[in-house]
Amino acid sequence: MRNTILSIIAGLVLMACSGPADVRISHELPPIYPDYTDVTIPVNVAPLNFMMRDSTDKMIVLIEGSNSSVTARGNGKISIPVKKWKSLIASEQGQSLSIRVTARKNGKWIQYAPFNWHVKIDSISPYLSYRLIEPGYEVWNKLQIVERNIESFDERVIADNNLTDGSCMNCHIYGNQNASLSMFHLRGKNGGTILNKDGKLRKINTKDNDMISNAVYGNFHPTGRYAVFSTNIIIPELHAYKSERLEVYDTASDLIVLNFDTNETSTRPFLSDSTAFESFPVFSADGNLIYYCVAPAVPLPDSIKSLKYSICRTSFDAATGIIGLQADTLWDAKKMNGSVCHLKTSPDGKFLLYTVADYGTFPIWHREADLQMMNLETGKIDSLKVVNGPNSDSYHSWSANSRWFVFASKRDDGIYGKPYFCYIDSTGKAHKPFVLPQRDPSVYDNLLKSFNIPELSDGPTPFDARDIERVFWDQEAELVK
Amino acid sequence: MAEYEKKIDWILPVGLVGASFLFFQFFYPYHLFFKEQIQLFLFSSDYFLSYFNKPAWLAGYTGDFLTQFFYLRGGGATVLSLIFLLEWLIGSIVIKRISSTSKAPVWALLPVIADWILHCEIVHSVSVSIGFVAALLLFLIYTLISNRWLSLASGPILIFIGYWLAGMSILILPLLIVARDTKLGRFSLFKWIVAGAVAVAIPLAFRHYYLLTTLQAYIYPAIQVQSLLLPGAFIFTLAGVFFLKRFELNRPKLIIIAVPLVFIGLLIGGLSVNANFRLEKILSLDSETYFGNSDRVIELSQKYNLKDRRATYFTNMALAENGVLPEHLLEYYQPSFYGLILPVMPEESWQSIFVSNEVFFLMGDMNLAQHSAMLGNTFSPYQRSSRMIKRLAEINLINGDTAASDIYLRILNKTLFHKKWAESRQIMNHAAVPTKWLSEKREQIPNTDTLRKSNDHVASLQFLIEQNPQNRIALDYLLCHFLLDKDLKAFKKAYDQYARQIDRPVPLVYSETLLIQLFASQASGDEAAAYSINPQKMKDFIAYTKMYEQTKGDMNALKERFGQSYWFYYHFATIQKQ
C-alpha cells in the first residue's frame, strides 16, 4: 500500500516536472499581446510580461540568453520573475535574448517560432510621467498625472484633480529630463502653471492682458531660466465620417517666452501675428534657437485641410532673453504636403523629432499621423518606417542620453493611446518600438483611459498629489508682466 | 414573553423585507436597472486589484458584484431585500450584545428602513450597505474578546482593518464599544478615547494615500453625505434603546406597538421625501428605450403624461423609430425643440449626458453618438458603465472599426450578464457578411466628411439627410426642430428641399405647419395643391382660423377642438430658453 502511494506521488511529480507532450511546431510567431516580438529594449526596463488573447489556457515561455535563461509559466499570460529578469538582462547587455513560446490551446500544445529581444547597453531615463485621461474629446472628469518607474512596475500619482476641485491638468513636461525641473498647467479658479524648480513649487498665472490665453504648449530652456510657450484659442469640432472622430484647431495662436526669474514675458511681432498660427515651440539643445510650427491663417473650419504647419526657427539669446528678429524655415508644409506639430529636440542636439499629419494641429485623432526625425546637422529626414504603426503616432519625449524616446501611439485600436519606447542607435537608426510593460498585461485591455503626454525623466519628481493640492488651494498665483 | 410578542419579533422584519421586495420590484424597478447600467463589474484580476486604490475595498467589490444582478428583472429587488434581511439579522445580534432590551429584533428595523429609503437614490450604492454589515460583524468579533488588554488593543486594530475593508460605517465602532462596555460594567475612558481618536484620525491619515478629499475620506464608499444616514440610524437606534429602557421595563407593550408604528411612519415619511417616482417614470422610459421596446415607451408615455423634457426625449425617439413622430408629436408635451435632442454641455446633468447618445444612434450619426457615449461614460459616477461600453462597441461595429469595437467587446466578455451579447457582437464584428441589422445601420452613416460643433444639431441633421435622403428619422427630427422652434421659413425650406423627395402622405403636423406658412406667404391655390395636403386638414385650418378670429384668440375656447394641433401650439406655446 505504501509503495503504491509512493509510486502515485512520484508519477504525479514526474508529470508536473516534465514538459508538454505532443507539441506541434509552428513556424509562425506567437500572437502575443502586447507585440513584443523582435523589439529592442534598454537594459534597465521592467519585465516584458505578455499574454495571448485567444483560447490559450497554458503558456511556457523560455527566455534564453547566451549564458543563462529564465522560464515563465502562466495560464493565458505570463509574469516574468523580476529578480531573475534583472539578472538575466544585466548579463546580456548588448546581446539578444531568444524567446520561445509554447502554448496550449483547446488541449493541444503548439511551439511557436522564436523571436528576439535585443538588449541595449544604453539605459533609458528610468521615469515616465503621463496623464491618464479618457479620450474624451477635450473634456474631462477624473484626471491624474502619474509617474511610473520604467525599471519596475511602481507607479505614483503626482497630481489628481479629485483633490483640486476637478480642475483640468495637462502638459506635465520636464526640463532636460530633470525631475527637479518640470511644470504643468492646472486650470480653474485656483489654477495656474505649476512650476517645479529649485526645490519649490510655484503657481504662475501665465496670462497677461496682451495674451490671447494662458500658456498652453511649452518647453524649458536648457538653463531652466526660461520657458517658451504657445498661447492658443482652441476649438474642437466633430467629424461626421466613420472613424474620423475629433478635429481640434486654433483660431489664434502666438508664442511667448517667460523668464522665471522675473516673471516677464517677451515675444516678437512675427510670433504674435494674427495672419499666422504659431505653436509647439521648443528650444534647441544648446538654447540658442527656438523651433516652432507655423501656418498661415485660413478660414476655419471650412479650409481645415489647407491648414498646414511648417517648422521654422529663430534665434534666442539666453543672456538677455531676447528673441531673434527673423525666422527661417526648416520644413516647408507646402513642399512636404503635410502639417507638423509636437517638436522635440534631442538632448545631444543632433535630431528634431516631430509628428506629421495631413493637415491641422492636433494629430492624436489623425490616423495618418506619424513621427519623423530630422538630422539637424545634415537636414536629412527619416520617415521612421520601423517606428510608425497604423493609427496615430504622436506626442513624444527624449531620454536624457538621446538614445531613446517615448511616444504616444494609438496603433492598437485607434482610440486609446499608450506609451511606446523606441531606440535610436549611434548611427541614427530607429528600431522597433515596444509598449510600456505592465505587471499584468491585461491591464491595457481593461483600461478606459489614454496615456497622454508621456515624458521621460531621470528621477522621481520631488512633489506628489498632496503638494499639488496644497498649492492649488493655499498658494496665490504669481502674475506675469 | 407572550406568544404574540415572539411572533412580532419575526413577523415585522419578514413583513418589512417582503414589503421592500414588493416596493423595489413593482414600484421602483427602473432605478435599480439604471444602477446596473452606470457601473461595470469585471471578472479580472486587475479589476479586483483596482479596489485597493481606495478604502472599503471589500465593501466596494462585494457591493459592485451584487449590483450587477440588478440587470435581471427581479434581481435588484431580491438582492436588496436579502441585504436588508442580513442587516436586520446582524443588527439584532449587535443590539442584543450591547443592551438589555428584549426587543432587539424590533429596534434593528430602523437601519433597514434607513437603507431602504437611501436606496431610492441612484447614487446610494450596495457597497455602503455591505460596508455597514461588515462594520457590525467586526464589532461582533470585538465582543468575543474578553481579555482586558486585548480588548484595549483590538478596538483601534479593528477600526483600522474595518476602514480598509468597509469604509465609513466603521466610524461607529467606538460608540458600539462604549455601549457594550457600559452594559458589561467595564468603564474605560482611556480605551474609549483611544478608539474614538483612531476612528477620527484614520480617514484623515490615509486620505492622501487614497487620494480623497477630507469629506470623501469620511464617507467612502458612499459618494454622497446622505449615506451616512445608514450608520447614523443605527446609532439613533441605540440611543432609542438606551433612553427608552425604562419604558420597556415598565410598559413593554407600549414599545412593541409604538416603536414599530413610529418606524412605519418614518418609512412612509422617508419614502415620500426620498423616493422619486417622477424620476422612476422617466427611468422607465429610458430603460425601455435601452431595452429596445419602443412600443412600451409609447404606452408608458401615454399613461404617465409627463411634462418633462427627458420624458419627451424618449417618447419622441420611440415615435420616430415607429415612423410616426410627425403624426403624434403634439399629442405629447413638447418643450419647444429641447425635447428632441439632449445637448452635451457642462450645464447639463450627468444623467442627461448619459442618455444623450440614444437619439444620435437612432438616426445614424455614429460620431455624435460616440462623442455622447464617451462623455456619458466619463461623467457617470464611476466612469465605467456597462451601458456606455455596449453602445461604444455597437458604434464602432457599425463604423466598421473592428479593432475599436473589439476593445469594448473584450471588456464585456469579462462580465456576467453582457458576455453573451458581446460574444454575438464579436461574431458580427468579424463576419464576412454583415447581418441585416448591421447593413441597415451602415446605410444610415455618412459617406463623406464634414466638421461641426457638437451641439450644432441643425447642421448635423442637414448633413445626415444630404448624405442619405431616405433617412426619415433625421428628416423628421430636422423638420420637428424647426416647427417646434416656430421657424416656419426654415421649416418650409427644409421641407421643400428634403421632404418632398420622400414618398409618403404629408404627415399630420407637417400639413398643419405648411398651411400656416402657405397662408402667411399668400401662396396661390396651385402652390398649395402641390403639397397634396389632405382636404379635410384644409377645412380644419379654415375652421380654426374662423374660431380664432371669432373668439379673439381665446386659448380656452380653442383648446378642446384644436389643443393638439400645430396651430394651437404656434399661437399659444411660449418658448422658454433652457
Side-chain angles (χ1 to χ4, degrees), chain B residues 112-130:
Chain B
V112 174
I113 287 167
D115 207 16
W116 177 346
I117 293 167
L118 287 168
H119 271 289
C120 291
E121 293 173 26
I122 285 174
V123 292
H124 179 75
S125 67
V126 174
S127 306
V128 178
S129 309
I130 299 296

CSV table of all heavy atoms in Angstrom, one decimal, chain B residues 112-130:
chain,number,residue,atom,x,y,z
B,112,VAL,N,-32.6,49.3,8.7
B,112,VAL,CA,-33.1,48.7,7.5
B,112,VAL,C,-34.0,49.7,6.8
B,112,VAL,O,-33.9,49.9,5.6
B,112,VAL,CB,-33.9,47.4,7.8
B,112,VAL,CG1,-34.5,46.9,6.5
B,112,VAL,CG2,-32.9,46.4,8.4
B,113,ILE,N,-34.8,50.4,7.6
B,113,ILE,CA,-35.7,51.4,7.0
B,113,ILE,C,-34.8,52.5,6.4
B,113,ILE,O,-35.1,53.0,5.3
B,113,ILE,CB,-36.6,51.9,8.1
B,113,ILE,CG1,-37.7,50.9,8.4
B,113,ILE,CG2,-37.3,53.2,7.6
B,113,ILE,CD1,-38.5,51.2,9.6
B,114,ALA,N,-33.8,52.9,7.1
B,114,ALA,CA,-32.9,54.0,6.6
B,114,ALA,C,-32.3,53.6,5.3
B,114,ALA,O,-32.3,54.3,4.3
B,114,ALA,CB,-31.8,54.3,7.6
B,115,ASP,N,-31.8,52.3,5.2
B,115,ASP,CA,-31.2,51.9,4.0
B,115,ASP,C,-32.2,51.8,2.8
B,115,ASP,O,-31.9,52.1,1.7
B,115,ASP,CB,-30.5,50.5,4.2
B,115,ASP,CG,-29.3,50.3,3.3
B,115,ASP,OD1,-28.8,51.3,2.7
B,115,ASP,OD2,-28.9,49.2,3.2
B,116,TRP,N,-33.4,51.3,3.1
B,116,TRP,CA,-34.4,51.3,2.1
B,116,TRP,C,-34.7,52.6,1.5
B,116,TRP,O,-34.7,52.8,0.3
B,116,TRP,CB,-35.7,50.7,2.8
B,116,TRP,CG,-36.9,50.6,1.9
B,116,TRP,CD1,-37.1,51.2,0.7
B,116,TRP,CD2,-38.1,49.9,2.2
B,116,TRP,NE1,-38.3,50.9,0.2
B,116,TRP,CE2,-39.0,50.1,1.1
B,116,TRP,CE3,-38.5,49.1,3.3
B,116,TRP,CZ2,-40.3,49.6,1.1
B,116,TRP,CZ3,-39.8,48.6,3.2
B,116,TRP,CH2,-40.7,48.8,2.1
B,117,ILE,N,-34.8,53.6,2.4
B,117,ILE,CA,-35.0,55.0,1.9
B,117,ILE,C,-33.9,55.5,1.1
B,117,ILE,O,-34.0,56.1,0.0
B,117,ILE,CB,-35.3,55.9,3.1
B,117,ILE,CG1,-36.6,55.6,3.8
B,117,ILE,CG2,-35.3,57.4,2.7
B,117,ILE,CD1,-36.8,56.2,5.2
B,118,LEU,N,-32.7,55.2,1.6
B,118,LEU,CA,-31.5,55.7,0.8
B,118,LEU,C,-31.3,55.0,-0.5
B,118,LEU,O,-30.9,55.6,-1.5
B,118,LEU,CB,-30.2,55.4,1.7
B,118,LEU,CG,-30.0,56.3,2.9
B,118,LEU,CD1,-28.9,55.8,3.8
B,118,LEU,CD2,-29.7,57.7,2.4
B,119,HIS,N,-31.7,53.7,-0.6
B,119,HIS,CA,-31.6,53.1,-1.9
B,119,HIS,C,-32.6,53.6,-3.0
B,119,HIS,O,-32.5,53.1,-4.1
B,119,HIS,CB,-31.8,51.5,-1.7
B,119,HIS,CG,-30.5,50.8,-1.4
B,119,HIS,ND1,-29.5,50.7,-2.4
B,119,HIS,CD2,-30.0,50.3,-0.3
B,119,HIS,CE1,-28.4,50.1,-1.9
B,119,HIS,NE2,-28.7,49.8,-0.6
B,120,CYS,N,-33.4,54.5,-2.6
B,120,CYS,CA,-34.3,55.2,-3.6
B,120,CYS,C,-33.5,56.2,-4.4
B,120,CYS,O,-34.0,56.7,-5.4
B,120,CYS,CB,-35.4,55.9,-2.9
B,120,CYS,SG,-36.6,54.7,-2.2
B,121,GLU,N,-32.2,56.4,-4.0
B,121,GLU,CA,-31.4,57.4,-4.7
B,121,GLU,C,-30.5,56.6,-5.6
B,121,GLU,O,-29.9,55.6,-5.2
B,121,GLU,CB,-30.6,58.2,-3.8
B,121,GLU,CG,-31.5,59.2,-2.9
B,121,GLU,CD,-30.7,59.9,-1.9
B,121,GLU,OE1,-29.5,60.1,-2.1
B,121,GLU,OE2,-31.3,60.3,-0.9
B,122,ILE,N,-30.2,57.2,-6.8
B,122,ILE,CA,-29.4,56.5,-7.8
B,122,ILE,C,-28.0,56.2,-7.3
B,122,ILE,O,-27.4,55.2,-7.5
B,122,ILE,CB,-29.4,57.2,-9.1
B,122,ILE,CG1,-30.7,57.1,-9.8
B,122,ILE,CG2,-28.3,56.8,-10.0
B,122,ILE,CD1,-30.9,57.9,-11.0
B,123,VAL,N,-27.4,57.2,-6.6
B,123,VAL,CA,-26.0,57.1,-6.2
B,123,VAL,C,-25.7,56.5,-4.9
B,123,VAL,O,-24.6,56.5,-4.4
B,123,VAL,CB,-25.3,58.5,-6.4
B,123,VAL,CG1,-25.3,58.9,-7.8
B,123,VAL,CG2,-26.0,59.5,-5.5
B,124,HIS,N,-26.8,56.0,-4.2
B,124,HIS,CA,-26.5,55.2,-3.0
B,124,HIS,C,-26.3,53.8,-3.4
B,124,HIS,O,-27.1,53.1,-3.9
B,124,HIS,CB,-27.7,55.3,-2.0
B,124,HIS,CG,-27.5,54.6,-0.8
B,124,HIS,ND1,-26.8,55.0,0.3
B,124,HIS,CD2,-28.0,53.4,-0.3
B,124,HIS,CE1,-26.8,54.1,1.3
B,124,HIS,NE2,-27.6,53.1,0.9
B,125,SER,N,-25.1,53.3,-3.1
B,125,SER,CA,-24.7,52.0,-3.7
B,125,SER,C,-24.8,50.9,-2.7
B,125,SER,O,-24.9,51.1,-1.4
B,125,SER,CB,-23.3,52.1,-4.2
B,125,SER,OG,-22.4,52.2,-3.1
B,126,VAL,N,-24.9,49.7,-3.2
B,126,VAL,CA,-24.9,48.5,-2.4
B,126,VAL,C,-23.7,48.4,-1.5
B,126,VAL,O,-23.7,47.8,-0.4
B,126,VAL,CB,-25.1,47.2,-3.3
B,126,VAL,CG1,-25.0,45.9,-2.5
B,126,VAL,CG2,-26.4,47.3,-4.0
B,127,SER,N,-22.6,48.9,-2.0
B,127,SER,CA,-21.3,48.9,-1.2
B,127,SER,C,-21.5,49.5,0.1
B,127,SER,O,-20.9,49.1,1.1
B,127,SER,CB,-20.2,49.7,-2.0
B,127,SER,OG,-20.1,49.2,-3.3
B,128,VAL,N,-22.3,50.6,0.2
B,128,VAL,CA,-22.5,51.2,1.5
B,128,VAL,C,-23.2,50.2,2.5
B,128,VAL,O,-22.8,50.1,3.6
B,128,VAL,CB,-23.3,52.5,1.4
B,128,VAL,CG1,-23.6,53.1,2.7
B,128,VAL,CG2,-22.6,53.5,0.5
B,129,SER,N,-24.2,49.5,2.0
B,129,SER,CA,-24.9,48.6,2.8
B,129,SER,C,-24.0,47.4,3.2
B,129,SER,O,-24.0,47.0,4.4
B,129,SER,CB,-26.1,48.0,2.0
B,129,SER,OG,-26.9,49.0,1.4
B,130,ILE,N,-23.2,46.9,2.3
B,130,ILE,CA,-22.3,45.9,2.6
B,130,ILE,C,-21.2,46.3,3.7
B,130,ILE,O,-20.9,45.6,4.6
B,130,ILE,CB,-21.5,45.3,1.4
B,130,ILE,CG1,-22.6,44.8,0.4
B,130,ILE,CG2,-20.5,44.3,1.7
B,130,ILE,CD1,-23.3,43.6,0.9
